[in-house]
């Protein structure tokens, strides 16, 4: 298949490389990066010309909307715009509408799995869009990932992503709070893990990504909290969850509190560039704040 790929950063470059390795013809464009594994062209429009599918993997909704305007004008009628960026639901729906108006298919399919998953081709895709769009994207999901869930119409992929990551932000903070409390109660961290990981407090944050160094499976905590999933990316996703919640008048008190806490951690403290599980040392060194 002839594929255009716009946005060849930490995630986009390995995803595009996996498509090339699977035998697809990929024309890539990025304002900065020029990965060696891909044929790099001079503009987004050039990458889009004649492509059956154009994939975007960009930082935010404003950039996505401006790139979309450029590529939609260059794409053939019936081609698919597959956006894998994490952006706000409204931008995703605007881009899908613009694609439809131009006679194109559109799917929003943000990913879970991080840079490791992008390299290994084991991402999870959460997709929003028509059946026809999803069907066209599916063989590419199989190459770049291990699972794709069709979540409904356009924007629903982004909705699923921010709901998932709101749960993740909240449960990571809760897990870190519990470890910090356990420390002060004289409860050994290993004992705490052994109990909680097999009791009703278990979660992905505890069982698969334990924030306490030396406990549970290997995680960024064992590597001095080098990301992994950086605290500022968690803040991005929590901010998107709160934008969406405001837009539809949904009450998300814990999502709101988690957003505030990660904002303080990233913007006023030492959270920038650290894994989001570094919330544990942050809480453990503090006294009671509320
Ligand atoms: P990144 O900053 O490494 O890559 C983004 C790339 O887009 C950059 O190379 C940049 O030069 C390029 N770019 C920006 N504006 C452009 C334009 N107008 N035209 C062409 N290229 C342009 O970011 P990333 O980590 O690859 O993340 C990409 C998306 O994936 C984001 O939406 C992010 O939230 C999401 N995501 C990231 C992770 C992760 O662990 N890094 C995990 C899941 C989802």
């Amino acid at each position: 298949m002839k594929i255009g790929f716009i946005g060849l950063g930490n995630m986009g470059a390995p995803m595009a490389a996996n498509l090339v390795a699977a035998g697809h013809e990929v024309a890539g464009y990025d304002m900065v990066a020029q990965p060696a594994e891909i044929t790099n062209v001079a503009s987004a429009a050039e990458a889009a010309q004649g492509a059956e599918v154009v994939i975007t993997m960009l930082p935010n909704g404003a950039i996505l909307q401006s790139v979309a305007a450029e590529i939609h004008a260059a794409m053939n009628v019936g081609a698919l715009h597959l956006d894998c960026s994490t952006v706000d639901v409204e931008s995703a729906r605007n881009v899908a509408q613009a694609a439809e108006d131009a006679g194109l298919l559109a799917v929003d399919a943000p990913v879970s799995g991080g840079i490791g998953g992008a390299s290994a081709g084991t991402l999870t895709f959460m997709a929003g869009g028509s059946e026809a769009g999803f069907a066209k994207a599916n063989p590419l999901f199989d190459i770049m990932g291990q699972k794709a869930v069709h979540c409904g119409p356009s924007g629903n992929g982004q909705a699923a992503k921010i709901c998932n990551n709101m749960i993740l932000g909240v449960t990571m903070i809760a897990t870190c709070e519990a470890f910090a409390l356990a420390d002060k109660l004289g409860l050994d961290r290993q004992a705490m893990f052994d109990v909680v990981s097999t009791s009703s407090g278990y979660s992905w944050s505890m069982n698969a990504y334990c924030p306490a160094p030396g406990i549970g499976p290997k995680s960024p905590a064992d590597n001095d909290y080098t990301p992994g999933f950086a605290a500022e990316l968690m803040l991005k996703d929590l901010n998107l969850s709160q934008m969406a919640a405001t837009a539809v008048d949904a009450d998300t008190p814990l999502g709101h509190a988690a957003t505030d806490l990660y904002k303080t951690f990233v913007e006023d403290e030492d959270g920038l560039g650290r894994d989001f599980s570094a919330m544990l040392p942050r809480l453990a060194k503090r006294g009671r704040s509320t």
Side-chain angles (χ1 to χ4, degrees), residues 6-12 29-33 57-60 63 66-67 84-87 111-115 161 228-229 233 236-237:
I6 327 283
L8 301 165
N10 289 319
M11 296 291 290
Y29 173 72
D30 188 292
M31 276 168 72
V32 179
M57 194 52 170
L58 295 162
N60 61 48
I63 293 174
S66 88
V67 169
C84 297
S85 326
T86 302
V87 302
V111 303
S112 168
I115 299 165
K161 165 91 187 179
F229 187 44
L233 289 178
K236 172 188 172 179
D237 293 355

Side-chain angles (χ1 to χ4, degrees), residues 111-180:
V111 303
S112 168
I115 299 165
S119 299
T122 55
L123 294 169
T124 296
F125 290 88
M126 303 151 230
S130 64
E131 286 294 344
F134 185 74
K136 192 158 185 149
N138 224 357
L140 304 183
F141 291 149
D142 282 346
I143 295 164
M144 298 185 287
Q146 61 183 355
K147 189 175 170 69
V149 180
H150 191 189
C151 302
S154 293
N156 281 24
Q158 299 296 348
K161 165 91 187 179
I162 57 177
C163 288
N164 180 75
N165 280 20
M166 188 173 77
I167 294 172
L168 177 60
V170 169
T171 57
M172 179 54 81
I173 292 170
T175 303
C176 294
E177 279 185 10
F179 268 119

Side-chain angles (χ1 to χ4, degrees), residues 216-235:
K218 217 169 162 30
S219 71
D222 300 310
N223 191 22
D224 202 21
Y225 297 99
T226 302
F229 187 44
E232 60 269 26
L233 289 178
M234 173 50 80
L235 176 59

